[in-house]
Amino acid sequence: MESIDKFDLAILQELQTDGRLTNAELSQRVGLSAAPCWRRVRALEEAGVIKGYHAEIDRQKIGLGVLAFVRVDTERISGDATRLLEDAIRKLPEVIACHYISGTGTFELQVVSQDLDSFSRFALKHLLNLPNVKDLHTSFSLGEVKASRTLPLAHLAPARSADTASRAGRRQ
């Protein structure tokens, strides 16, 4: 993928809002005919810009009322030990996100669970037994202010020319 133009940007914005749009609906919304729109979507997929399409499920409505943030401290870590730990974390479906972090700790996990008792059992059985784990530090979400998989895309918008910007400024 060489660069993102205004049509690609519009496609990304529309698909982030509704990934179930048909190609006909998408092409109408972005101002392209169906064939070029489809080619652009395929190019964005092949370039890895669009990684997939997913249903967003309300975790609380399916009985996963607890969201925990778990900082994992490890013993001195080597490349092999890191790969072993990463592989073990990937196998835990309760871990919905894992990030390397700066500062204190090695990883920050987001873990979902039905309730505090089930989280405690999971932590004792699985998290504490992960390879090379020295300690866990857990914080619990007390309420969700914002949770979105929608990414900001304004930085991808084609830059306006200085002349266009100055004319727009004079009109205001």
Side-chain angles (χ1 to χ4, degrees):
M1 185 101 236
E2 298 203 7
S3 66
I4 305 280
D5 67 12
K6 69 178 187 173
F7 292 110
D8 294 330
L9 179 60
I11 288 168
L12 294 173
Q13 288 171 325
E14 292 295 335
L15 288 177
Q16 278 197 123
T17 302
D18 184 357
R20 295 182 69 179
L21 288 173
T22 66
N23 187 58
E25 292 169 323
L26 180 61
S27 64
Q28 181 182 20
R29 289 186 186 188
V30 301
L32 288 171
S33 60
C37 183
W38 180 83
R39 282 193 297 271
R40 284 174 176 268
V41 170
R42 294 287 299 148
L44 290 164
E45 291 170 346
E46 289 169 7
V49 175
I50 297 174
K51 292 172 42 172
Y53 301 88
H54 311 278
E56 185 174 341
I57 299 170
D58 185 320
R59 68 177 171 80
Q60 293 182 344
K61 288 187 178 179
I62 62 164
L64 297 172
V66 169
L67 174 62
F69 301 92
V70 182
R71 189 180 72 226
V72 177
D73 295 331
T74 61
E75 301 293 340
R76 288 191 338 199
I77 197 126
S78 68
D80 289 339
T82 300
R83 280 185 289 283
L84 193 63
L85 179 56
E86 288 171 355
D87 289 343
I89 290 170
R90 284 186 192 102
K91 292 176 183 170
L92 299 172
E94 296 86 352
V95 177
I96 60 170
C98 174
H99 298 270
Y100 283 109
I101 58 171
S102 62
T104 306
T106 306
F107 294 101
E108 183 85 15
L109 312 178
Q110 290 181 25
V111 180
V112 292
S113 187
Q114 293 174 325
D115 52 37
L116 291 176
D117 287 337
S118 61
F119 174 82
S120 179
R121 286 189 302 276
F122 172 76
L124 291 170
K125 182 176 180 183
H126 296 284
L127 296 179
L128 282 173
N129 291 310
L130 288 169
N132 209 34
V133 168
K134 179 171 73 173
D135 202 4
L136 303 174
H137 304 273
T138 304
S139 299
F140 294 97
S141 172
L142 300 177
E144 204 166 81
V145 175
K146 180 180 180 181
S148 175
R149 294 184 61 102
T150 302
L151 298 174
L153 301 175
H155 66 286
L156 297 174
R160 297 189 315 175
S161 71
D163 184 48
T164 304
S166 70
R167 277 184 280 163
R170 284 191 300 250
R171 279 186 254 143
Q172 293 178 356

